[in-house]
Amino acid sequence: MAFDIDMIKKVYSQMAERVDAARKVVGKPLTLSEKILYSHLWDGNPTKAFARGKDYVDFAPDRIALQDATAQMALLQFMQAGKKKVAVPTTTHCDHLIQAKNGASMDLQSALNTSNEVFNFLESVSNKYGLGFWKPGAGIIHQVVLENYAFPGGMMIGTDSHTVNAGGLGMVAIGVGGADAVDVMAGMAWELKFPKLIGVRLTGKLSGWTAPKDVILRVADILTVKGGTGAIVEYFGPGATSMSCTGKGTICNMGAEIGATTSTFGYDDSMERYLRATDRADVADAANKVKDYLTGDAEVYTNPEQYFDQVIDINLSELGPLLNGPFTPDLSTPVGKEMTEKAKANDWPMKVEWGLIGSCTNSSYEDLSRASSIAQQALDKGLKTKAEFGINPGSEQVRYTADRDGILEVFEKLDAKIFTNACGPCIGQWARYEDPKNAPKNSIVHSFNRNFAKRADGNPNTHAFVASPELTAAIAIAGRLDFNPLTDKLINEDGQEVMLDEPTGWELPPKGFAVDDNGYLAPKEDGSRVEVKVASDSERLQLLEPFQPIGNSITGAKLLIKAFGKCTTDHISMAGPWLRFRGHLDNIANNTLIGAVNAFGKKTNFVKNQLTGEYGGVPDTARAYKAAGVKSIVVGDHNYGEGSSREHAAMQPRHLGVAAVIVKSFARIHETNLKKQGMLGLTFDNESDYDLIQEDDTFNFLDLNEFGPGKQLTIELVHADGTKDTIKVNHTYNQSQIDWFNEGSALNLIKKENA
């Protein structure tokens, strides 16, 4: 039986009434996304139509998921909210703090040895406040959610950008910062700007070497890393219903890489099959009773141009296998000749050293079975693999079942490293090098979702390419980036020419899923006597002190850094070895913006301290300004804060005295995180004003005392030579968000209201 079945049945019991009411107020047929949004309004039945991309709307999500790296800060904040128990079903998943190095058992034990303090903290907080707890090794949060908690027509939020994976089971699932999660855990509404809608019509059918991964790699090529910002991507058409549920999850998962609010598919037979296979027949039975409300109206999918803001057409029968990268997930190249030409022109290393399969994106039973069918051919055809293999199963249930069915044994015969059921290399938790900064130039191929520089192994010279699990396996066997399995032959150990056959696999395990211990711990019914301890001298955990309001007068603020080019949350708050400090704000603040390229000098972690004239690291310089009582300003380019949902990228600058971040454009989650922490997230009214910012600039806000919704702010730039420029900046703050700013943070306002 499913977790929280009564909650799911309640959602379905009110869905028809709410969707029917929404149809009346909107005055036209509805997309699936609209049905879910309008049926989850905080105020209940819809009474007005909302303007896409304009109106801020209060929602009531059904559940929350937290991963251990972000859960620490989220739960430290929740402990301040004055609540005895979470208001909606919530789970904590320990998947980020396990480093991939020697293999599953040794790596898991190492994580328990080094991070036990954090795991014990998370388990005790979960126990005290009513959260379900998934132990280290239980699995990757998004695969575990898909197997246990996701349900068609539901709405969930999660403190990880790839929460969107649950769209594969027909949810509107959205990645948020911890402060957003705290609001909902505390029983408050969750605010979101009503998204725009992008429809992707899928026709034809996948076959041969083409996989669901190639669909999202193509979409990323079309929309780029920011083309989905502020929008939900809804997939439909005969090509959509022909794919497996976990394949849909893969597509939705990487919607985070195009900046989309989330992605989703309508309820269909593949979702029903998956629900029943994962012991949730009760959810499938309940969904079937309202199935017409769990997909878009027929008129919408017949004439999508009338109902979506943008429509993309992809014929799956014409789609081929793709490789995206390096250094960005939207640079797409077909395998074969075009890759050969592009690699030579850009001096990409042709030799591939690793093929990595798994992560939250492609770690299902189906993914592993299809990749293993290629690995088996290497054994059967006498091929010696040229690259190393690494495998991250998505959950203990997937691992146990794949092991039972001999799938993992195939990889082990090729000397693959079977890593823990955890994120591992996908998030930089990979001990590949002793000294990654000075590691050589090389190429790897993986089935992960992100491939920013230094993302997997800390080596800025690693060229990471994203592909399907089966193509990753084929390229690892060939050991060359330009290998095309559709046409190219390989020489086996007997000197014979052989070709790889098309991959095969199972949508679901023929003998059903099985598991001995899935790693779940239920919370106490009454957690009031559970004690949560945080040692005062801990390097890993630190109780939070409320942020003080920045105030409505910012004068004499100094430029901290003018970030040049791409500045993701990885640049602002790196993962990898820094993950161990995710529960200690002051310690992790020492990595603030150390990965951002300074526009002046084009170096990382090297900025001018205007008080001394000396150059130093970004965190040290920020601390010097803070100690002197001087506020600081960060300036950035387009899509600032792209990537992970980690709110540390907002909390750390806030902790170090940054008052405002001024950029050409923001990634959605990061902009919200800045607002939640009581900072100013601003955009240049004239993008070319970015070029006016000089290294020794001082910032004076001339009309912050008039800060209001829709009202531009005026900033005076005072340059070192005494000259001045006056610029206008825009913002998207509504009155509630301005109240957060005035109180010092959203959490401060929650505490005040609870008191």
Side-chain angles (χ1 to χ4, degrees), residues 378-400:
L379 297 171
D380 295 341
K381 299 186 179 188
L383 292 167
K384 187 175 179 63
T385 57
K386 302 293 176 56
E388 296 186 70
F389 268 119
I391 312 294
N392 281 86
S395 69
E396 177 56 16
Q397 178 168 270
V398 166
R399 187 212 64 80
Y400 186 96

Side-chain angles (χ1 to χ4, degrees), residues 171-402:
M171 293 195 89
V172 161
I174 301 175
V176 299
D180 274 2
V182 170
D183 285 356
V184 180
M185 286 191 285
M188 299 177 68
W190 175 62
E191 184 185 68
L192 177 73
K193 185 182 288 186
F194 203 82
K196 295 182 179 180
L197 299 177
I198 298 173
V200 180
R201 177 166 43 199
L202 302 177
T203 56
K205 190 173 183 179
L206 296 172
S207 63
W209 284 94
T210 311
K213 184 67 159 239
D214 297 304
V215 177
I216 186 57
L217 296 182
R218 178 71 181 114
V219 171
D221 179 52
I222 294 169
L223 289 176
T224 76
V225 291
K226 60 182 180 180
T229 302
I232 293 179
V233 181
E234 184 171 325
Y235 293 85
F236 63 94
T241 55
S242 70
M243 281 188 285
S244 68
C245 177
T246 53
K248 293 177 173 71
T250 290
I251 292 170
C252 292
N253 183 297
M254 272 194 70
E257 274 51 72
I258 57 172
T261 301
T262 191
S263 305
T264 195
F265 286 78
Y267 179 59
D268 61 17
D269 292 345
S270 72
M271 295 185 192
E272 181 178 355
R273 290 194 297 271
Y274 189 73
L275 286 169
R276 296 191 186 281
T278 51
D279 199 26
R280 290 176 287 171
D282 44 356
V283 178
D285 292 340
N288 286 341
K289 294 177 182 177
V290 292
K291 65 189 311 179
D292 288 344
Y293 291 91
L294 303 179
T295 189
D297 288 335
E299 298 93 326
V300 169
Y301 294 157
T302 302
N303 300 293
E305 289 79 8
Q306 297 179 24
Y307 301 99
F308 291 97
D309 298 291
Q310 180 181 354
V311 177
I312 296 169
D313 278 290
I314 297 176
N315 185 339
L316 302 183
S317 301
E318 297 175 355
L319 187 65
L322 299 169
L323 279 164
N324 280 29
F327 305 129
T328 185
D330 60 351
L331 179 58
S332 188
T333 308
V335 297
K337 182 181 178 182
E338 190 171 332
M339 173 54 77
T340 304
E341 294 171 350
K342 195 178 287 187
K344 289 179 178 177
N346 292 281
D347 195 28
W348 297 339
M350 206 68 82
K351 179 184 177 184
V352 173
E353 297 191 1
W354 274 85
L356 297 152
I357 295 166
S359 88
C360 63
T361 327
N362 280 112
S363 56
S364 68
Y365 184 89
E366 180 182 33
D367 292 324
L368 296 183
S369 70
R370 285 179 64 84
S372 74
S373 77
I374 303 303
Q376 182 65 52
Q377 292 183 53
L379 297 171
D380 295 341
K381 299 186 179 188
L383 292 167
K384 187 175 179 63
T385 57
K386 302 293 176 56
E388 296 186 70
F389 268 119
I391 312 294
N392 281 86
S395 69
E396 177 56 16
Q397 178 168 270
V398 166
R399 187 212 64 80
Y400 186 96
T401 308

Side-chain angles (χ1 to χ4, degrees), residues 130-195:
L131 293 80
F133 182 75
W134 291 81
K135 296 184 293 186
I140 305 172
I141 176 173
H142 310 304
Q143 180 64 30
V144 172
V145 165
L146 198 70
E147 290 177 9
N148 295 277
Y149 299 111
F151 66 97
M155 173 183 276
M156 71 174 288
I157 59 173
T159 59
D160 188 286
S161 54
H162 293 108
T163 299
V164 295
N165 188 81
L169 248 176
M171 293 195 89
V172 161
I174 301 175
V176 299
D180 274 2
V182 170
D183 285 356
V184 180
M185 286 191 285
M188 299 177 68
W190 175 62
E191 184 185 68
L192 177 73
K193 185 182 288 186
F194 203 82

Side-chain angles (χ1 to χ4, degrees), residues 527-547:
S528 60
R529 295 185 180 181
V530 176
E531 186 177 2
V532 178
K533 293 183 179 180
V534 175
S536 59
D537 60 349
S538 172
E539 292 186 350
R540 301 289 299 271
L541 298 165
Q542 179 188 48
L543 295 176
L544 294 174
E545 295 291 333
F547 288 131

